[in-house]
Amino acid sequence: MKTATVKRVRDGDTFEIENDAIRLENVDAPEINTEDGKICKDKLEELILGEEVEYTEEARDDFGRLVARVWVEGKNVNNAMNDFIEGL
């Protein structure tokens, strides 16, 4: 497991660390140009922006982003975002 500090949240399922972008594995947030997409981005920022996260690299996607499972303070961020998205 690796650790990094979250520098920027792009949308509801992608964020940036020092030298890379991470896409949450098995999370499909609405597109950022929609109202729900903006709400999901805000939620992900609330959970991880500026925080040190732990993550496991699962793959790289077609855009070169890491696809990962992510935790903050022991909480699974992938599960938290899926639960949030289901509740929209």
Side-chain angles (χ1 to χ4, degrees):
M1 192 164 315
K2 296 183 177 183
T3 61
T5 301
V6 177
K7 303 294 185 187
R8 176 177 173 253
V9 173
R10 290 185 183 174
D11 57 27
D13 52 33
T14 306
F15 63 93
E16 296 175 8
I17 57 176
E18 187 66 35
N19 294 312
D20 221 336
I22 295 180
R23 170 83 158 73
L24 297 173
E25 182 185 48
N26 296 323
V27 176
D28 188 20
E31 295 303 312
I32 191 65
N33 61 349
T34 66
E35 184 176 335
D36 283 348
K38 290 178 181 75
I39 291 168
C40 288
K41 178 186 178 195
D42 290 346
K43 179 62 175 178
L44 188 56
E45 284 179 341
E46 177 186 312
L47 289 172
I48 65 171
L49 185 60
E51 298 290 337
E52 184 172 289
V53 296
E54 295 180 307
Y55 63 98
T56 58
E57 298 180 25
E58 302 301 326
R60 286 242 179 221
D61 68 10
D62 293 340
F63 301 102
R65 301 173 297 190
L66 287 176
V67 177
R69 293 183 195 145
V70 180
W71 294 263
V72 62
E73 297 179 357
K75 181 177 185 175
N76 185 302
V77 176
N78 303 59
N79 291 345
M81 286 305 297
N82 276 329
D83 290 346
F84 183 77
I85 292 163
E86 287 176 17
L88 289 176

